[in-house]
Amino acid sequence: MSGEITLNGNKFSLSGVELKPGFKAPDFTLAANDLSDVSLKDFKGRIVILSAVPSLDTPTCSLETARFNKEAGKLGDKVKVLTVSKDLPFAQARWCAAQGVKNLQTLSDYKNTSFAEDYGLLIQGLHLLTRAVFVIDGEGLIKYIQFVKEVSEEPNYNAVLDAVNELI
């Protein structure tokens, strides 16, 4: 178990591995919007902002993903922004099209819980990802982690961007 969060004030436990800065980021295989497999190793040599959200169809997740899309447009080719949820890839594609999201990539962990478990993100009882952001360097080392303790709140974007700018 990697911790505890709240969702609208209700406490939930998280399942999975507790990661810390300096750890090697676990590789993953997630589904892209076209159902192709995407792995962390696909981004070797690039800084990765890995944003985990419960569902793009909720207000806070929508705001967060739109904000990271905006920031991704400013960061350049050295940085790849990924947003991961358990939404079906078709729903992610529909949401991105409706919101005009083109600067980041949405990925789905709908097939199993390996990503959620390997990153300590699985909300027990809900089978959703908690809200968290990881910054991973080009060699695959975790440089920054932010778990948002109240899932209905947005992350501290400035802290994430500061961590990224230290690596650029």
Side-chain angles (χ1 to χ4, degrees):
M1 184 176 316
S2 65
E4 190 174 80
I5 51 89
T6 59
L7 176 58
N8 298 319
N10 300 306
K11 290 184 181 182
F12 290 91
S13 294
L14 299 176
S15 292
V17 178
E18 184 175 356
L19 299 174
K20 296 187 184 301
F23 283 25
K24 183 81 170 162
D27 198 13
F28 52 71
T29 301
L30 297 167
N33 292 170
D34 64 1
L35 299 179
S36 64
D37 288 341
V38 175
S39 299
L40 180 61
K41 63 186 171 199
D42 295 336
F43 307 105
K44 185 170 176 55
R46 295 172 80 183
I47 299 162
V48 174
I49 298 174
L50 182 61
S51 171
V53 300
S55 175
L56 295 174
D57 283 321
T58 62
T60 307
C61 299
S62 183
L63 287 169
E64 177 179 339
T65 305
R67 171 71 187 269
F68 277 127
N69 180 64
K70 180 181 172 185
E71 298 299 338
K74 301 175 193 173
L75 291 170
D77 292 340
K78 292 181 183 178
V79 180
K80 182 68 176 181
V81 181
L82 307 173
T83 295
V84 181
S85 71
K86 285 195 165 282
D87 296 311
L88 291 174
F90 313 113
Q92 290 179 338
R94 175 195 44 77
W95 183 90
C96 288
Q99 300 297 320
V101 169
K102 296 179 178 167
N103 298 322
L104 62 75
Q105 184 172 10
T106 55
L107 299 171
S108 178
D109 189 32
Y110 82 97
K111 290 182 182 179
N112 57 50
T113 61
S114 62
F115 170 79
E117 294 278 348
D118 289 348
Y119 280 78
L121 301 172
L122 187 65
I123 302 174
Q124 291 182 7
L126 298 180
H127 203 67
L128 294 170
L129 302 179
T130 194
R131 187 175 317 285
V133 184
F134 296 79
V135 175
I136 303 166
D137 73 8
E139 297 303 313
L141 294 177
I142 298 170
K143 294 299 188 176
Y144 176 82
I145 301 173
Q146 182 183 146
F147 276 86
V148 180
K149 291 296 184 184
E150 171 52 55
V151 178
S152 65
E153 295 178 1
E154 293 177 77
N156 180 335
Y157 301 108
N158 290 334
V160 173
L161 295 170
D162 287 347
V164 170
N165 286 325
E166 286 181 16
L167 298 172
I168 294 178

